[in-house]
Amino acid sequence: MDNSSNLIQELLTIGLGTTTFVAEKLGEMGDRLVKEGKIEPDEAKTIVNEVLKKVNTDRGTVEDRMQKQLKTVLQDIGVPRQSEIDELRGRIDRLEHQVRDLENKQWR
């Protein structure tokens, strides 16, 4: 599961970079429209803030969908969940303990 965590982290980082890029371009566009006299500075700021709010909201939704898709893909190709691995480790520990107990009984 470590690889999937890295993949998710990389995708989220790309999303964050994209959001930063969009914010910069929106700011530039707003500044240009203000300089051209097409909108007021307060109006430009409001528009930029509204768009960024929408982008951030959508990004959260996209991140959730990406995580669900990734989990589905990993399940489809047979990668076990962490809880399944932990359960198997517990079973192995119990079996090892039982084997040690049986070995100790044989030597008594």
Side-chain angles (χ1 to χ4, degrees):
M1 291 298 260
D2 193 30
N3 288 338
S4 65
S5 296
N6 289 339
L7 178 60
I8 291 171
Q9 188 63 38
E10 287 177 30
L11 291 172
L12 295 178
T13 301
I14 290 169
L16 182 59
T18 302
T19 302
T20 303
F21 177 75
V22 168
E24 289 173 7
K25 291 302 175 186
L26 279 172
E28 290 171 9
M29 186 178 74
D31 291 344
R32 187 181 45 154
L33 291 173
V34 168
K35 285 178 185 176
E36 293 173 0
K38 294 183 179 179
I39 59 174
E40 295 295 319
D42 290 342
E43 194 178 2
K45 185 176 180 179
T46 300
I47 292 170
V48 169
N49 288 337
E50 287 177 7
V51 171
L52 288 179
K53 183 178 177 182
K54 176 75 171 137
V55 166
N56 286 328
T57 301
D58 290 347
R59 188 181 78 207
T61 303
V62 169
E63 289 170 2
D64 290 343
R65 287 197 324 232
M66 282 180 9
Q67 287 183 348
K68 287 177 185 176
Q69 280 293 98
L70 184 58
K71 284 179 184 178
T72 301
V73 168
L74 292 173
Q75 187 177 12
D76 288 349
I77 63 174
V79 175
R81 294 186 313 254
Q82 187 63 46
S83 61
E84 294 171 323
I85 293 171
D86 293 342
E87 180 184 335
L88 288 173
R89 284 182 179 144
R91 290 174 66 188
I92 289 169
D93 289 345
R94 287 190 298 278
L95 288 171
E96 286 175 341
H97 183 72
Q98 289 175 351
V99 167
R100 278 193 300 274
D101 286 348
L102 288 172
E103 288 175 343
N104 288 337
K105 285 181 184 178
Q106 284 182 341
W107 293 107
R108 288 183 192 169

